[in-house]
Amino acid sequence: MRKSMSPNYYEATLQLRPYNQEVLQYVLEEVGKRKDVFIAKTEELKTGIDIFLSSQRFARMLGKKLKDRFKGTVTISKKINRLDRQTGVILYRATVLFRLK
């Protein structure tokens, strides 16, 4: 992670469906343990909550941890965000959906 990163920067969206305080608290604790990951913003919706994370790799790992701990399903998808002009690499944003059973 670069030091000059904007506080609005995010690589992944973690979607928690439906809203569950225990699951949300677990996510906040896991993010708090890491110095290289931050929450850019959160959005509360009728169906649940979206958490925008600065690390795609961390979001995927967290999805797997949530599945093991809270017995739900995880769906991971990605979409093209932009093309890096310097390297010519296509950059993606991931969406990790955790649906509680």
Side-chain angles (χ1 to χ4, degrees):
M1 184 170 89
R2 294 176 299 216
K3 293 203 183 260
S4 62
M5 203 172 282
S6 166
N8 297 327
Y9 174 82
Y10 68 97
E11 289 182 2
T13 305
L14 178 64
Q15 299 177 326
L16 304 177
R17 305 288 188 265
Y19 179 84
N20 181 307
Q21 184 62 38
E22 185 181 357
V23 175
L24 178 61
Q25 190 61 39
Y26 178 76
V27 169
L28 295 176
E29 287 172 7
E30 288 295 312
V31 171
K33 292 177 185 177
R34 300 280 300 264
K35 293 183 192 275
D36 60 334
V37 177
F38 64 89
I39 296 175
K41 65 179 177 176
T42 59
E43 286 183 6
E44 290 190 32
L45 308 166
K46 288 180 185 178
T47 56
I49 189 166
D50 289 354
I51 302 168
F52 298 86
L53 297 168
S54 63
S55 171
Q56 193 175 131
R57 180 175 285 158
F58 177 75
R60 291 171 189 258
M61 180 196 66
L62 191 55
K64 289 176 185 173
K65 282 185 173 182
L66 288 170
K67 181 180 177 181
D68 293 340
R69 183 175 174 128
F70 294 103
K71 306 299 182 215
T73 59
V74 174
T75 305
I76 299 174
S77 61
K78 62 182 180 177
K79 79 178 187 187
I80 294 175
N81 180 27
R82 63 186 171 90
L83 178 69
D84 189 327
R85 292 182 183 169
Q86 292 177 341
T87 61
V89 174
I90 297 173
L91 300 175
Y92 294 90
R93 279 202 171 141
T95 301
V96 179
L97 168 64
F98 175 70
R99 193 171 294 281
L100 199 58
K101 286 188 179 176

